[in-house]
Amino acid sequence: MSTAVEVDDLRFAHTGADFPALERVSFRVSAGESVALLGPSGAGKTTLLALLDGRLQGWSGRVSVLGAPLDPDRPPPSARRPDTGFVFQEFALVERSSVLRNVLNGRLGRMSPLRALLGSPTKHDLEIARTALADCGIADLAERRVDSLSGGQRQRVAIARCLAQEPRLILADEPVSNLDPAHACEILALLTGAARTRGATALFSSHQPDLARRFAQRIIGMRDGRIVFDVPTSELNDDATAELYREVGPIPGIGLRAVS
Amino acid sequence: MAFRGFGGIATSGLIAAAILWSFATTDVEFSRLLSAGPRIADFFGRMFPPDPTVMAEIKKGSAETLRIAILGTLGAVILSVPLGILASETMVSPAVFRPIRTLLAFIRAIPLILVAMLMVGAVGLGPLPGIIAVAFHATGMLAKFYAEAIDGVSRAPIAALESAGAGPLVRLRYAIWPQMAPVVARDTIFRFELNLRESLILGIVGAGGIGFYIQTYVRSFQYDKAASVTIAVVVMVIAIEAINVALRRRFT
């Protein structure tokens, strides 16, 4: 089985921070796998995912995404970026634009720069966007403005945008922590299901062990920027989870992280 | 806010000294103020009743002022779009936006009337120097507003488009612009209102518009005509403000 993500001895510190956000992080994710990053806030999950998405520079170690190594000092070439889709915790939608426009935004990296700038999607682009909307169960919302939608609907739009990108790897940063439990399950089922049917790899973070267990084949536990365990979901025991959340006291350097 | 401690005393002392210095070195004579009453009364007497025969001049003057404001605002918008982008933290590096912001601060520091006088000298009398002066002067503020509008948008959608592989201009078009459009509309309308108000007096230095007639009539002691023009100006300002308030309410 080919490898979707390979991380070896990764270390990263935010500018001005005393403590590294990620340290000695090594793991690999096979293509088609569904993996959860589990851990309390401040564990480094968001940082790790943003780094894999090519949005952080200045790290050390070796990172390879979809078979291509990432450059520690440079963002990946834009031609490669659409292959990695990202679902954000706060949805990251353009509130005043329509649902369809937001989903089409996921196509921008697949279009020629001129076509993207002129905003004239091809029939093919529109078809993919419409399919993504339908797969996310929001085809009827296409013309609505995002600022008129509920939280669950917004995350569906964000997932549709990610799917419109036709990613081979889907990274999701706490995709359901802003939703109530019922919606959280629906959205994670949608996200991991869509990844599976498309043969894409899914790597999502969560601070809720039950959700991670339900929707991931493998769980990577993180704490204070390090990987604490990396086990198949069936082998995850409660002791390991409890250890992850043991005494979540004040974390040194957290104020500096917030500033940076 | 209360002044406290030594800093407070020092500040109060400084303010008092500034006021005393101004009185001591300015020619403020109460006798002159007292004798002004009858003269002002005389002015008002001569302004009354306003002369309605200057309607044609009022129409011509206000139309010209309006044109100066419209074209001046257009010029400012055209200049402010690139300068606003270059003055924004989101779009360019500090090496670019810092000098541009300094330049804009310099432009803002030059009073409109001064720019207008220079332009009258450069291109001659009429509305053209007024338009150039308004465009130049307004750019100092408008480009700063546009930069702030760019920097004020939510960053998350920009990161999302970057993640999807969109370049900087495409991000500006689809992540930044939709968020900043209402702010830009509001700022531009506000600047148009200011441009119109400020260009009412441009005629005094020969840069076109209704101010020319005020100056002409006051200098030739035709206070009843000056009164009519003044009333027209006041009506215009009130009307613009009312329209502006109504328009701005739509862009929130």
Side-chain angles (χ1 to χ4, degrees), chain A residues 53 81 92-93 96 101 109 116 119 161, chain B residues 156-157 160-164 174 178 182:
Chain A
D53 192 33
R81 303 201 75 144
L93 299 166
R96 298 184 67 258
R101 182 63 252 172
R161 175 179 64 191
Chain B
L161 261 69
E162 184 195 349
S163 167
Y174 290 106

Side-chain angles (χ1 to χ4, degrees), chain B residues 13-86:
Chain B
L14 217 61
I15 292 171
I19 293 169
L20 287 175
W21 172 74
S22 306
F23 265 116
T25 53
T26 312
D27 194 13
V28 184
E29 287 168 34
F30 284 98
S31 58
R32 280 170 66 190
L33 276 178
L34 288 175
S35 68
R39 271 191 229 140
I40 288 173
D42 180 44
F43 273 148
F44 277 110
R46 282 202 271 169
M47 283 168 96
F48 228 76
D51 183 349
T53 60
V54 292
M55 221 36 219
E57 283 81 1
I58 287 176
K59 272 186 197 156
K60 188 166 169 276
S62 4
E64 193 167 277
T65 295
L66 196 62
R67 285 203 298 272
I68 293 173
I70 290 172
L71 293 179
T73 308
L74 177 70
V77 169
I78 291 170
L79 289 171
S80 295
V81 168
L83 283 171
I85 293 174
L86 292 175

Side-chain angles (χ1 to χ4, degrees), chain A residues 43-257:
Chain A
K45 307 185 298 291
T46 300
T47 307
L48 177 59
L49 289 168
L51 195 149
L52 292 176
D53 192 33
R55 280 184 284 121
L56 284 181
Q57 277 73 45
W59 43 269
S60 64
R62 274 187 307 281
V63 176
S64 158
V65 173
L66 296 167
L70 285 188
D71 188 325
D73 304 310
R74 223 161 284 129
S78 39
R80 254 171 48 201
R81 303 201 75 144
D83 290 337
T84 304
F86 204 96
V87 177
F88 294 78
Q89 180 178 3
E90 274 96 20
F91 322 130
L93 299 166
V94 182
E95 295 280 313
R96 298 184 67 258
S97 297
S98 73
V99 167
L100 180 62
R101 182 63 252 172
N102 270 282
V103 174
L104 278 171
N105 283 350
R107 295 295 305 162
L108 291 171
R110 296 274 183 208
M111 303 177 190
S112 73
L114 187 67
R115 184 176 285 283
L117 202 57
L118 294 177
S120 57
T122 60
K123 268 206 180 114
H124 180 64
D125 290 321
L126 275 169
E127 207 178 287
I128 286 174
R130 297 258 179 215
T131 308
L133 282 170
D135 287 355
C136 294
I138 46 169
D140 53 326
L141 299 180
E143 303 307 324
R144 287 267 294 274
R145 248 169 72 155
V146 168
D147 52 13
S148 71
L149 303 182
S150 71
Q153 289 171 325
R154 281 173 204 216
Q155 198 55 296
R156 282 171 190 271
V157 178
I159 292 171
R161 175 179 64 191
C162 172
L163 295 178
Q165 227 174 290
E166 299 181 292
R168 290 195 286 139
L169 168 66
I170 297 175
L171 304 171
D173 181 21
E174 299 276 0
V176 296
S177 64
N178 281 344
L179 306 177
D180 60 66
H183 280 106
C185 280
E186 274 178 34
I187 293 293
L188 272 182
L190 170 66
L191 185 70
T192 50
R196 201 167 41 243
T197 54
R198 285 165 161 81
T201 312
L203 179 59
F204 67 93
S205 67
S206 176
H207 58 258
Q208 292 162 275
D210 51 321
L211 285 175
R213 280 179 184 211
R214 247 182 99 173
F215 295 101
Q217 299 161 333
R218 192 150 62 88
I219 297 179
I220 297 175
M222 288 188 76
R223 193 189 152 114
D224 298 342
R226 291 163 188 259
I227 289 180
V228 183
F229 59 77
D230 181 350
V231 292
T233 304
S234 55
E235 289 172 26
L236 181 68
N237 60 50
D238 292 338
D239 290 348
T241 323
E243 177 64 16
L244 211 55
Y245 289 91
R246 158 184 57 87
E247 180 251 328
V248 185
I251 302 157
I254 190 95
L256 281 168
R257 276 180 224 193

Side-chain angles (χ1 to χ4, degrees), chain A residues 9-15 17 19-25 44 47-48 50-51 55-61 72 225 257 260:
Chain A
D9 199 20
L10 172 64
R11 187 183 188 279
F12 174 78
H14 290 286
T15 341
F19 290 81
L22 297 169
E23 190 159 40
R24 286 190 214 157
V25 171
T47 307
L48 177 59
L51 195 149
R55 280 184 284 121
L56 284 181
Q57 277 73 45
W59 43 269
S60 64
R257 276 180 224 193
S260 69

